[in-house]
């Protein structure tokens, strides 16, 4: 059974379940920032996934990266798995702009999150799902 | 033809060529910090690799992550592709410790690099190659 870490649950919103990962969005409107969380209990490192799951992870990461880049027109996509604070394996896909609040530094630990306006967030998620050719669950 | 970005060349040392990537080590003894650089000209985003290359990248990342974790006994492996400063596609694999200079924050942009002592660096690289079951080129 898959249980989401309470910190991840609190700081991000559910978008959709992909074949391997739950796709979520960080509730921080400074950065278009997605999370991929493999839906398997007890994972910490990418290396703990099977070889097939590792391949699925990079495939879902690239699928989401392409959609996010098309949707936002960002300068750069940042992808990462850190897990120094929250142990449960989670994979970041972040759209970066030269004008954003942390450029060119990393987004982790950079200032305080600014929660999305709920309507704008829902519109962003709807547009992302459209880019992914997926329907809202 | 593959040409390494001058900044990557200056800040890291060559270890070995893997099937897809050149494996290098950042010259910063605060963190055991490896780089994987796909040996193909003009790459910026992970999504620009073919599907087969993406799978090879995650495979090489996990192979190197496992070796680095065994060698260092680190608390956590951080993997990432940022590229906000140096555009050429490069993939970080960093061994993190609760006692390290940036924990639990990210290593990018954290203070000043402290160059390795050359002898210690060469010993570290030799031990890493041993963990990877590879011989020095």
């Amino acid at each position: 059974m898959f249980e989401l870490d309470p910190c991840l649950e609190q700081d991000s919103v559910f978008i959709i379940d992909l074949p391997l990962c739950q796709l979520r969005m960080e509730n921080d409107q400074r950065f278009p920032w997605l999370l991929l969380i493999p839906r398997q209990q007890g994972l910490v490192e990418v290396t703990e996934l099977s070889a097939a799951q590792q391949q699925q992870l990079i495939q879902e990461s690239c699928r989401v990266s392409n959609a996010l880049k098309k949707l936002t027109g960002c300068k750069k996509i940042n992808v990462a798995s850190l897990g120094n604070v929250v142990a449960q394996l989670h994979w970041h896909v972040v759209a970066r702009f030269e004008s954003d609040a942390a450029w060119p530094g990393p987004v982790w630990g950079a200032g305080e999150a600014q929660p999305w306006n709920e309507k704008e967030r829902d519109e962003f998620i709807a547009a992302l799902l459209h880019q992914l050719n997926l329907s809202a669950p």
Side-chain angles (χ1 to χ4, degrees), chain A:
Chain A
M1 197 190 113
F2 168 65
E3 275 187 57
L4 190 63
D5 175 276
C7 291
L8 294 179
E9 182 146 33
Q10 186 183 314
D11 294 346
S12 63
V13 295
F14 176 81
I15 299 179
I16 201 166
D17 279 335
L18 299 177
L20 177 66
C21 298
Q22 181 165 117
L23 175 62
R24 301 180 66 88
M25 184 162 76
E26 279 278 320
N27 190 16
D28 185 349
Q29 56 87 24
R30 299 176 303 159
F31 311 106
W33 180 346
L34 306 175
L35 297 177
L36 287 166
I37 301 139
R39 296 194 312 281
Q40 184 176 311
Q41 206 54 26
L43 293 171
V44 174
E45 299 281 3
V46 177
T47 53
E48 294 165 7
L49 295 168
S50 70
Q53 288 172 322
Q54 290 165 14
Q55 297 187 357
Q56 184 65 28
L57 175 65
I58 196 78
Q59 187 183 313
E60 293 183 7
S61 173
C62 287
R63 183 182 179 193
V64 162
S65 296
N66 279 328
L68 190 61
K69 190 152 197 180
K70 272 187 199 156
L71 178 59
T72 65
C74 63
K75 168 86 173 170
K76 189 69 189 71
I77 293 287
N78 291 177
V79 297
S81 171
L82 305 180
N84 306 337
V85 177
V86 171
Q88 184 175 52
L89 178 59
H90 56 289
W91 185 269
H92 304 267
V93 179
V94 192
R96 302 300 308 275
F97 298 82
E98 289 171 292
S99 58
D100 76 32
W103 185 271
V107 294
W108 307 280
E112 294 297 316
Q114 292 175 10
W116 278 84
N117 165 289
E118 208 164 307
K119 179 163 173 286
E120 287 173 9
R121 184 195 70 197
D122 291 349
E123 286 170 358
F124 187 91
I125 288 173
L128 179 73
L129 286 168
H130 181 77
Q131 274 295 343
L132 288 165
N133 286 319
L134 294 171
S135 301

